[in-house]
């Protein structure tokens, strides 16, 4: 993977609106090792702000009040120093949307930050925080090389058949088309499946944000999210796909663009259906709460429909993979999703599924069903290492 005896220490940053997650990887030769990971939570005024770090046998957490991402990054560096971990030789940022131009990791500079600001309408939940994290890192460590890797890049080779919306040419030329997201997660899952990967794979990344990708010979040919991370299956606080007429109706009845953005990204999905975006809570309540039961059912139904459609797009299916927080840990959700997929050749072994085993298909299943723990940070670090080795 890397040059003999060359050592690189790469800090991966994944910035949210009120959190900063970080992971430190060390590469030497063909060895890759997670040296430490943690987070600063409750940024910008939360009374429950906290910093935690796991580094080998060292594990600690403490209350921490941070008013902005720069303060959070300073605290993260101090925690890494306290754990006596090496300072990074490169900082890698996960960026959700790269727009039409960025289909591979790129070095960070002021021009890229300006481009990302222009893309904020395409990912209003994610990009403002990512930009804040990038600017904080550039101020804190100005001499350290920094790169951005984009979740949209994995889908850059999607055929026009899947990429294009049925809209006028001028809108497509402006970049109004399907991009797809969760690319770092999909990339990591494929790396676990091996080289070459199975011919026809569907990966279901299920979490607070959820999307599925149809992958043929390692290349994404279709995915459920679209122009923004709002589309696709029902999610924690996001609506997923809607009849466009719903938006026209709401606009005519007084909803501004900002109000629609808030409704669709922050007030919909499982939260609107069941009163919470937390799948674990919904599963606990489903037997006694009809709203919780409906929320779980709609989530599973939307994923099941997506699997069916993507399987037809692939012309068949060899492997179905569940990943993400819900996909990896919610056995009941996996069972419900796969319950009516026997006509596709998918059958689960209930005991393996309940145990969150790596392979959960029954012996009679014609299609392999796997549970793979994703590692977006490691994939991000690998991209940064590849960038460093070019110089």
């Amino acid at each position: 993977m890397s040059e003999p005896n060359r050592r690189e220490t790469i800090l991966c940053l994944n910035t949210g609106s009120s959190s900063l997650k970080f992971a430190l990887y060390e590469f030497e030769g063909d060895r890759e090792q997670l040296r430490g990971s943690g987070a600063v939570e409750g940024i910008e005024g939360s009374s429950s702000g906290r910093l935690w770090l796991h580094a080998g046998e060292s594990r600690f957490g403490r209350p921490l009040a941070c008013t902005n991402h720069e303060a959070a990054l300073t605290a993260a560096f101090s925690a890494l120093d306290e754990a006596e971990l090496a300072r990074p030789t490169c900082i890698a940022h996960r960026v959700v949307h790269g727009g039409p131009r960025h289909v591979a990791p790129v070095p960070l500079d002021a021009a890229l930050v300006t481009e990302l600001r222009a893309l904020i309408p395409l990912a209003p939940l994610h990009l403002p925080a990512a930009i804040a994290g990038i600017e904080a890192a550039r101020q804190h460590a100005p001499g350290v090389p920094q790169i951005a890797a984009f979740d949209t890049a994995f889908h850059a080779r999607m055929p026009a058949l899947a990429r294009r919306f049925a809209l006028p040419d001028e809108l497509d030329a402006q970049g109004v088309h399907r991009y797809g997201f969760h690319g770092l997660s999909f990339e990591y899952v494929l790396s676990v499946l091996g080289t070459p990967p199975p011919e026809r794979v569907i990966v279901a990344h299920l979490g607070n944000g959820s999307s599925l990708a149809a992958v043929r010979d390692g290349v994404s040919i279709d995915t459920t999210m679209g122009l923004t991370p709002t589309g696709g299956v029902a999610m924690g606080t996001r609506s997923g796909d809607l009849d466009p007429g719903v938006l026209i109706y709401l606009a005519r009845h007084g909803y501004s663009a900002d109000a629609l953005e808030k409704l669709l990204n922050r007030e919909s999905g499982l939260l609107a259906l069941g009163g919470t975006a937390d799948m674990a809570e919904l599963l606990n309540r489903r037997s006694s709460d009809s709203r919780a039961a409906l929320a779980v059912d709609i989530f599973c139904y939307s994923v099941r429909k997506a699997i069916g459609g993507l399987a037809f797009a692939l012309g068949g299916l060899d492997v179905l993979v569940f990943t993400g927080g819900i996909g990896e840990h919610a056995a009941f959700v996996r069972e419900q999703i796969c319950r009516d997929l026997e006509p596709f050749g998918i059958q689960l072994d209930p005991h393996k599924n309940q145990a969150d085993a790596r392979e959960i298909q029954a012996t009679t299943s014609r299609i392999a069903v796997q549970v793979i723990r994703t590692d977006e940070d490691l994939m991000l670090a690998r991209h940064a290492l590849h960038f460093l080795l070019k110089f």
Side-chain angles (χ1 to χ4, degrees):
M1 179 179 291
S2 63
E3 298 172 3
N5 302 320
R6 176 166 175 172
R7 178 180 295 179
E8 299 289 354
T9 305
I10 297 170
L11 178 63
C12 300
L13 298 180
N14 187 350
T15 312
S17 58
S18 62
S19 68
L20 173 69
K21 298 177 183 177
F22 56 92
L24 190 73
Y25 285 89
E26 184 177 272
F27 295 86
E28 186 173 11
D30 290 327
R31 180 179 61 86
E32 49 188 31
Q33 182 179 4
L34 175 63
R35 299 304 305 274
S37 62
V40 181
E41 299 167 340
I43 302 172
E44 296 183 356
S46 172
S47 60
S48 58
R50 180 172 177 265
L51 178 145
W52 61 267
L53 174 66
H54 296 167
E57 298 301 317
S58 175
R59 293 170 177 259
F60 65 81
R62 54 178 172 252
L64 179 71
C66 286
T67 57
N68 54 46
H69 288 82
E70 185 176 359
L73 189 67
T74 299
F77 269 97
S78 296
L80 293 170
D81 288 342
E82 184 179 335
E84 299 183 341
L85 296 175
R87 282 294 179 109
T89 57
C90 180
I91 298 175
H93 299 262
R94 178 193 175 198
V95 180
V96 165
H97 212 306
R101 274 183 17 92
H102 296 297
V103 297
V106 295
L108 270 165
D109 56 22
L112 178 62
V113 173
T114 299
E115 285 189 66
L116 294 179
R117 289 191 186 282
L119 295 175
I120 285 175
L122 299 182
L125 279 182
H126 303 86
L127 280 179
I131 293 168
I134 287 168
E135 292 186 325
R138 292 177 69 214
Q139 291 176 19
H140 190 91
V144 178
Q146 300 192 36
I147 72 153
F150 305 95
D151 266 323
T152 48
F154 177 74
H155 306 285
R157 290 192 283 169
M158 271 196 308
L161 186 68
R163 178 187 60 79
R164 179 71 190 262
F165 294 141
L167 293 171
D169 289 347
E170 56 267 29
L171 291 176
D172 183 64
Q174 292 171 26
V176 181
H177 52 69
R178 185 181 308 281
Y179 289 91
F181 300 89
H182 290 124
L184 291 170
S185 177
F186 294 139
E187 277 189 275
Y188 178 79
V189 166
L190 288 175
S191 75
V192 173
L193 290 176
T195 304
E199 180 185 359
R200 299 168 301 183
V201 179
I202 292 175
V203 184
H205 179 108
L206 308 180
N208 188 53
S210 298
S211 72
L212 293 85
V215 184
R216 180 183 289 124
D217 296 322
V219 176
S220 174
I221 67 156
D222 204 349
T223 188
T224 53
M225 284 181 171
L227 174 72
T228 75
T230 308
V233 301
M235 290 171 263
T237 63
R238 287 172 253 173
S239 65
D241 286 346
L242 292 172
D243 171 2
V246 172
L247 305 185
I248 296 171
Y249 172 87
L250 293 174
R252 285 176 173 166
H253 285 77
Y255 276 77
S256 66
D258 287 343
L260 286 173
E261 188 276 323
K262 182 181 179 183
L263 171 69
L264 300 181
N265 280 320
R266 296 176 170 83
E267 300 175 344
S268 297
L270 298 177
L271 176 64
L273 294 167
T276 179
D278 187 334
M279 178 59 77
E281 182 180 338
L282 291 169
L283 291 173
N284 286 334
R285 286 170 30 205
R286 65 183 174 81
S287 60
S288 59
D289 184 336
S290 61
R291 291 187 69 219
L294 180 63
V296 173
D297 288 347
I298 287 177
F299 178 83
C300 295
Y301 179 64
S302 67
V303 175
R304 190 185 313 132
K305 284 204 303 180
I307 291 170
L310 294 175
F312 277 111
L314 285 166
L317 184 59
D318 299 309
V319 181
L320 170 64
V321 178
F322 289 99
T323 192
I326 296 173
E328 295 164 21
H329 303 296
F332 179 82
V333 170
R334 295 193 299 262
E335 174 193 335
Q336 292 299 104
I337 289 170
C338 293
R339 185 188 60 195
D340 294 325
L341 294 179
E342 288 192 12
F344 290 89
I346 295 175
Q347 293 178 291
L348 296 190
D349 180 311
H351 302 293
K352 293 179 180 178
N353 182 47
Q354 197 63 40
D356 296 335
R358 165 69 185 272
E359 294 193 3
I360 60 173
Q361 74 274 8
T363 56
T364 53
S365 181
R366 299 196 307 273
I367 293 169
V369 184
Q370 299 192 22
V371 178
I372 296 178
R373 183 180 182 278
T374 195
D375 196 335
E376 294 159 298
D377 288 330
L378 178 54
M379 202 69 238
L380 179 57
R382 288 173 178 171
H383 280 303
L385 178 66
H386 181 73
F387 168 79
L388 291 171
L389 293 180
K390 293 191 295 186
F391 299 96

